[in-house]
DNA sequence: TCTGTCAACTGGTATTACAAGTTAACCATG
DNA sequence: CATGGTTAACTTGTAATACCAGTTGACAGA
């Protein structure tokens, strides 16, 4: 308290690089909807000309946008804006996260937290349309189970849970859950095989979903919540024993 | 079901770019702890030589690592590995997220979800050390309030909540909460001023924390949970009325 | 109608060069 | 001896250029 340093604090000065300025302008254009998803982005050479910078600088900015999943670049074609999707980003980071002990189990726990909250929000916002959507996902899963198609079953599984999250009307919850799903897909254990292939398990998963659906349809949200919890406990069990 | 396409599915072939190979190798080295936080990374020219690629390719990979917050690059100095920290990433993405209607309120709701879960986990894992840590954060806040230092108060505020999350022993919960905090710092409303400067409010916030702390110390976790809920309701109120 | 060809794009990569910042050793000055 | 200035050898930042490779669309030919 007796020194100058405690009154006047010097903040480190950090000069920003050109690619950051480009990023800033670009992101601003996107949020101002000057560019919309699906639009083609000017070529790198044009951008360099427009920004009065060199092509490498433009490219460094594009690399970041690519990792964020805000643009899709095809060699020779061009770059297109798309809805932000953090898959590529997760692809880079996943190995770091999974190098932690028990990360996958923590992830399952976190998923439970998200889904429980989603059900709570459903109690406030659920519409008849939401119920219809859930039914559709459920039927797809039933079909997958009866035709014994494990891949389709897994797809229908995530579709059901995704619908649940969408019905919660919470943008953040949806996006975070998307991240969790992306992470599971990058799970280290034997590649992408969170997919449960044993027939009895698939049937049991379907039944769980069915019960959750029925509880929601009857607007018994507390019951639905408990069903979600026990459902995920079962998933966890299947998971730990491979 | 009658066509070849339904049996044999052709997956699109997507050639990976050089910078992605570099990223992959680099991340692998990090998770294998060949490189550790604090270490200096070889210069761009050395890396280019080692990877048998050109310097621009190396730079594109470094830009991604920089945004991920895995390395820190100082012009003329060099690049250093650090603990992954998604601040820079959030800095790029934040404007996009906050361009959504009511994103900030959704964020507060999400924060509530995280903290409630943290308290639930505390019921299982809390140690005496955790209680001590909480007390320390609390005392810092008390000091900030009594000396009427709003900036220190805000710092102590987040420190208290951060300690809460750390005590939950959940790595994911901590990291996600860090993201939420970073996002709040980039909040559009009047710059960085989630900081509540009114003296009475600061006092009330302190009292809330005090009550939460006492409940936790006495291991009354249900009570603590309810206190957290009402505390965040109050924060929400302060927030919506600027 | 289909198929191949070709020219004019596009992004991917490499090379080279220079500007600008950092670091450490050294030297001069008080 | 300590401080500050100078310098040389690094480093990253940016630019310019060239060439390869993939894409696209128009057009000619079967």
């Amino acid at each position: 308290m007796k020194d100058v340093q405690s009154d006047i604090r010097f903040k480190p000065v950090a000069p920003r690089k050109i690619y950051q300025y480009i990023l800033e302008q670009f992101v601003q254009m996107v949020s101002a909807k000057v560019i919309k998803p699906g639009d083609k982005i000017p070529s790198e050479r044009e951008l360099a000309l427009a920004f009065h910078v060199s092509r490498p600088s433009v490219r460094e900015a594009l690399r970041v946008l690519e990792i964020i999943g805000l643009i899709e670049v095809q060699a020779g074609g061009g770059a297109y804006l798309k809805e932000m999707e953090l898959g590529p980003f997760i692809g880079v980071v996943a190995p770091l996260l999974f190098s932690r002990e028990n990360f996958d189990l923590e992830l399952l726990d976190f998923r439970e937290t998200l889904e429980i909250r989603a059900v709570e929000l459903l109690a406030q916002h659920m519409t008849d349309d939401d119920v219809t959507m859930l039914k559709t996902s459920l039927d797809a899963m039933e079909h997958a189970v009866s035709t014994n198609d494990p891949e389709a079953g897994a797809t229908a599984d995530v579709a059901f849970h995704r619908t649940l999250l969408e019905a919660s009307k919470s943008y953040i919850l949806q996006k975070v859950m998307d991240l969790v799903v992306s992470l599971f897909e990058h799970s280290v254990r034997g590649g992408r095989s969170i997919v449960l292939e044993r027939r009895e398990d698939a049937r049991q998963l379907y039944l769980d979903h069915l019960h959750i659906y029925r509880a929601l349809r009857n607007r018994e949200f507390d019951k639905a919540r408990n069903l979600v919890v026990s459902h995920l406990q079962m998933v966890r069990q299947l998971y730990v024993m491979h």
Side-chain angles (χ1 to χ4, degrees), chain A:
Chain A
M1 285 294 182
K2 47 198 165 185
D3 206 310
V4 187
Q5 290 190 2
S6 49
D7 290 322
I8 308 174
R9 307 185 187 178
F10 298 97
K11 294 178 199 166
V13 85
R16 306 178 60 195
K17 302 168 196 173
I18 285 193
Y19 87 92
Q20 290 172 323
Y21 286 103
I22 300 178
L23 270 182
E24 192 178 8
Q25 277 200 49
F26 195 93
V27 168
Q28 192 188 342
M29 283 189 203
V30 174
S31 55
K33 313 211 170 176
V34 180
I35 328 173
K36 283 168 288 186
D39 287 358
K40 181 169 187 170
I41 294 170
S43 77
E44 295 179 353
R45 293 171 229 271
E46 285 180 66
L47 287 175
L49 226 62
F51 284 121
H52 284 80
V53 296
S54 73
R55 192 149 86 95
S57 294
V58 171
R59 283 182 60 81
E60 290 183 14
L62 290 186
R63 282 300 78 75
V64 174
L65 293 174
E66 199 178 19
I67 285 294
I68 291 178
L70 204 63
I71 66 174
E72 197 155 15
V73 184
Q74 42 182 316
Y80 295 83
L81 194 73
K82 62 172 185 176
E83 212 77 49
M84 185 169 54
E85 188 250 321
L86 295 176
F89 172 78
I90 292 295
V92 177
V93 181
L96 287 172
L97 298 177
F98 280 104
S99 69
R100 287 187 63 88
E101 197 75 28
N102 286 331
F103 180 80
D104 36 16
L105 290 179
E106 256 199 37
L107 199 58
L108 271 171
D109 183 84
F110 186 60
R111 177 185 158 186
E112 184 175 321
T113 303
L114 295 180
E115 296 215 29
I116 289 176
R117 181 58 185 152
V119 171
E120 288 173 7
L121 287 176
L122 272 186
Q124 303 173 21
H125 301 304
M126 194 178 70
T127 66
D128 290 345
D129 281 351
D130 294 331
V131 178
T132 308
M133 300 276 288
L134 284 171
K135 184 73 166 73
T136 306
S137 307
L138 191 68
D139 290 343
M141 191 170 186
E142 197 281 330
H143 182 267
V145 170
S146 60
T147 58
N148 197 20
D149 184 340
E151 187 163 345
T155 306
D157 187 333
V158 303
F160 181 84
H161 286 276
R162 183 134 214 345
T163 309
L164 203 76
L165 269 290
E166 279 174 15
S168 79
K169 311 282 191 305
S170 165
Y171 175 75
I172 296 182
L173 239 45
Q174 287 174 45
K175 286 299 175 187
V176 176
M177 182 56 102
D178 284 346
L179 288 187
V180 172
V181 171
S182 293
L183 274 172
F184 273 121
E185 285 169 356
H186 284 83
S187 180
V188 182
R189 307 194 183 210
R192 53 160 181 64
S193 60
I194 325 291
V195 184
L196 305 166
E197 303 196 349
R198 293 226 322 269
R199 183 150 190 170
E200 320 86 82
D201 295 342
R203 178 116 209 112
Q204 183 57 50
L205 287 178
Y206 165 67
L207 289 178
D208 279 5
H209 286 203
L210 177 64
H211 296 146
I212 292 171
Y213 164 72
R214 283 186 182 155
L216 288 174
R217 187 193 53 190
N218 301 335
R219 309 191 81 80
E220 301 167 330
F221 295 106
D222 278 344
K223 184 179 177 186
R225 184 205 136 101
N226 294 334
L227 286 174
V228 166
V229 170
S230 59
H231 169 59
L232 288 176
Q233 273 176 357
M234 184 237 189
V235 170
R236 200 183 323 246
Q237 276 187 357
L238 290 178
Y239 189 63
V240 293
M241 60 187 203
H242 296 218

